[in-house]
Amino acid sequence: MTIRPLVILPDPLLRQVSKPVERVDDDLRKFADDMLETMYDAPGIGLAAIQVGEPLRMLVLDVSEKDEPKNPQVFINPEIVSRSDEPNVHEEGCLSIPDYYAEVERPARVTVKYIDLEGKERLVEADGILATCLQHEIDHLNGVLFIDYLSKLKRDMVVRKFKKLAKDRQPARMVG
Ligand code: ZN
């Protein structure tokens, strides 16, 4: 298993729409392991493939509590098939936008259709943190970030901050 480097805002990859996975094979299962290891290492509770630079419709998550056994889950070609009218507000963060958190309102419950690592089609009815996490990660597959739900003022502030951080990370040019 390999820990992969994370794609960080304002990398334009984060705005790319990911393509459906066409075949579930050993290469894909290996990639899912890499994604999980990268997520646990960060640490985070969810990760979309695009966040490690692969524009595939695939995500991993583990929303188990600290005192519970690990519960890694892999969702391939996930699709929200129904949403509750009732909303839920949850504080969200993102491994691609480190150390920034904000409250986001989303449907409290969603039903998601997906393919598992055996290539079988499955359906999950999610609520609570699982519903929030699934919606956040599925957004990534469509190039949408949680800061898109904030006011333009807040979003611009975050983007500006991360543009500056990215600039500071670049090595200084040699002069002369
Ligand atoms: Zn995220």
Side-chain angles (χ1 to χ4, degrees), residues 51 93-95 136-137 140:
Q51 291 179 278
C94 181
L95 293 179
H136 176 118
E137 301 308 333
H140 273 300

Side-chain angles (χ1 to χ4, degrees), residues 60-147:
V60 298
L61 55 83
D62 186 342
V63 295
S64 61
E65 299 286 345
K66 281 198 183 76
D67 53 352
E68 288 174 353
K70 275 187 181 179
N71 182 25
Q73 290 182 278
V74 180
F75 296 79
I76 298 162
N77 297 341
E79 205 181 307
I80 297 174
V81 291
S82 78
R83 299 168 167 82
S84 66
D85 292 331
E86 185 199 330
N88 182 38
V89 176
H90 201 276
E91 188 174 69
E92 296 187 22
C94 181
L95 293 179
S96 295
I97 313 174
D99 302 320
Y100 183 77
Y101 303 90
E103 288 192 333
V104 178
E105 184 182 298
R106 301 180 185 270
R109 288 180 303 281
V110 286
T111 305
V112 174
K113 190 175 87 177
Y114 67 100
I115 294 170
D116 70 13
L117 281 178
E118 270 70 56
K120 286 203 189 82
E121 193 174 291
R122 293 186 177 274
L123 204 64
V124 62
E125 283 176 39
D127 61 7
I129 179 78
L130 180 61
T132 296
C133 196
L134 275 169
Q135 291 175 82
H136 176 118
E137 301 308 333
I138 290 171
D139 272 354
H140 273 300
L141 311 185
N142 297 318
V144 174
L145 300 171
F146 83 98
I147 53 171

